[in-house]
Amino acid sequence: MEPMETVTTAPWERRTVVILLLAFVALGLTYSIVNPLFEATDELRHYRFVRTLVEKRALPVQGQEVCRSQSHHPPLIYALGALATAWVPGTGPICLNLPENPFWAYRYWDVGVDNKNQYLHGSAEAFPWRGDALAAHIVRALNVLVGAGTVWITWAIGRAIWPRRPWLALGGMAFVAFNPMFLYMAGAINNDVIAAFSGGLVVLVCLRLLRAPEGLHWRWGIGLGATYALALMSKFNLAAVGLLVGLTATWVAWRRRQWRAWLAVAGVALGVTALLAGWWFARNLALYGDPTGFQELTELWGVRDPRQSLGLAVSELPYAWSTLWGRFGFGQIPLPDGVYQALALVAAIGLIGGLARGLLAESATRPAMLLLIVDVALFFAVLFSYMLVSPAGPMGRFFFPALPALAVLLFAGWHRLLRGGEAGGRRLAVAAHAAMGLFAVGALVFILAPAYARPPSFAGSDALPAATAIRFDSFVELRGYELAPTRLRPGEPLDVALYWEVTGRPPGDYLFFLHLIDPATDALAAQRDTHPGLGRFPSSQWQPGDRFVDRVRVYLPETAYAPAQATVQIGLYAPEGYRLAVRDAAGEALGDALALGDIAIEPHPGPYPNPQDHNFNGELRLEGYDLEPRRARVGASIAVRLYWEVLRDLRPGRVVQVHLLDEAGQVVATADRPAAMAAPEREAGRTVLAEHVLPTASLPAGTYRVEVALLDPAAGRLPIVAPDGHWIDERLVLPRVRLDP
């Protein structure tokens, strides 16, 4: 590259950078306030690290903590957080725990507000903050400032490459400043944002070295060693940036024939790194017998065998992509799939242009562009390598150290493909910031905030559907309800809207149930359990006079029997198991559950009863089933008829298992038989009807579940496979049957 030239920053550019940084800080703080404490991935464990430093004035040790923290991470961000909050008295122990929401992972892949909170949040987190809540928000605000530093570094990287094209630097800022996931993580407690800052800083220093007028000098060893030590103290996956440092110094030495200076720089850089960061690795070696502590980490947190996990890691790449741009909480708050697909298209086009710009650029900028490309490829390799060895691997935040480089590459690529000059570059930069800004605000307003907001209220004078006045003990009254639709097919959802008015202060957290009862067997056809308000308004927070609308969705199982009917029942129960009494407006007892009405269950069209589509290991597809009878007296046999499509020639020895299980999950009757009785039936393309007869003579009265599996006698049960290839389960559960005395 040409030697660095002195280019002054125009006042308009300085103002623009300041405005963008302020916009990032404002948005980051808003994300941090909207997101309840400790809902971000591992945030509670990160906070425990900070509190350990404050209260014990010592680093936590893996495996020796009373409760888990992120003790395997280098301490930089935690030490900064401890310095900022040392004056705040903690209101709880280091092993601070919040009451968990046991339903928080319900259909985690759905966009919506159904049980997206992992914890139940109370008044201790309300503003004005005190104690742990105040300390946590201070550390969050500190992290927002670190994020702002990353945004500035992104601009500085662009300026280092194109000192006379400021719009390229400004445009690249958009993909960091208004990336919803980066804003979300900046507004939470973690070390991924400081990893992005440190990774970007190393790239910036390397770019400045490429354009240093004097080339290599031993003083560069100080800067390179200090930034590399900063990276190592931020997060250990940044050890990979040592490759960037080495490549940059070697390139400059080769171009300028400065091999003696290269040795001096290398020696000084290694010495500075060892001085600033070596103690951490020496401590790990003394404690764990491993300078990285990674072996201890895998023993505590689990590990994958990379020889067996390649296919799994490849299948997880879409999830890693989504978590780079916006999948909040522990991954249970996604954006619509179309957003990720649109971002993939934008990134693909930008990367194509960025690669073209790097490979075909003028000689003055080609080394810098290649450095960015290497940085992006390097951290993709780091991310994928971690996916191979850890179940926690597919997280886009692990790519954050290369986010500034990626952002600059994307914008530069788009600029090249659109062939915009200075005016076009300005317009493109404005468009990028406008689009990404709307994206960031939209993710906040329409995805993140509703996931934790209280359910909507209603006025006492409102006209309500199916108005009623049913009391549940003395705590809450059902004022109205609505069922939609009233005719369902297996696999489809039923939506129940409930209008509640609180009449008394509950002593704790009661749980809500929604049951679909099959009158033919008096057994559950489907059920939902949740905290009221879909986890967002637990009963311990109720005050007399509160009114709220609960919209609960329950899905019929794909194996639900049809045609049939189901009765919709609701109720409230304590965690200990007892239900609240239900009374009508006159005070007459109605039992411990309220029937809201009936729905019709209709079959899907198809040539077989109860049409299905379940792929057993790519060998058999269950196309339908029948149970005869569904209700019988003890001693009668139950016939299970299965309609199989043979997907490929069956290997001899395959067995179809049909088991009858009691409510405790114990197998009480079996009717196994070979998957095919005759050779012609094993041929692909045939449909086979197989009948399995379950004996019940020795069983007590009650309800039982029917379970189907495909068995390889040598390998065990074979998986049921989804259309995209992932394994769903190794068994298929059919509806319950009832045995009467």
Side-chain angles (χ1 to χ4, degrees), residues 217-286:
H217 188 280
W218 68 266
R219 288 190 298 271
W220 275 103
I222 299 175
L224 293 171
T227 52
Y228 188 48
L230 178 73
L232 291 176
M233 289 293 93
S234 299
K235 195 166 185 175
F236 181 68
N237 65 347
L238 282 157
V241 297
L243 179 62
L244 294 181
V245 173
L247 285 175
T248 303
T250 302
W251 170 264
V252 173
W254 177 72
R255 293 286 290 174
R256 296 174 179 263
R257 303 295 186 267
Q258 294 179 318
W259 296 112
R260 183 172 297 179
W262 183 91
L263 289 173
V265 168
V268 172
L270 288 173
V272 171
T273 301
L275 179 65
L276 298 178
W279 66 272
W280 171 254
F281 299 96
R283 172 184 180 270
N284 288 338
L285 185 63

Side-chain angles (χ1 to χ4, degrees), residues 56-93:
K56 294 190 174 182
R57 301 187 184 277
L59 293 168
V61 178
Q62 292 189 70
Q64 297 183 19
E65 308 138 299
V66 178
C67 52
R68 282 187 174 180
S69 74
Q70 299 302 91
S71 56
H72 55 284
H73 286 306
L76 180 56
I77 189 62
Y78 310 105
L80 295 175
L83 288 172
T85 59
W87 58 277
V88 179
T91 51

Side-chain angles (χ1 to χ4, degrees), residues 413-440:
W414 272 92
H415 181 261
R416 178 179 179 84
L417 292 176
L418 295 177
R419 299 186 181 279
E422 180 173 353
R426 289 176 184 268
R427 288 193 294 270
L428 186 60
V430 171
H433 280 281
M436 290 298 296
L438 288 174
F439 179 28

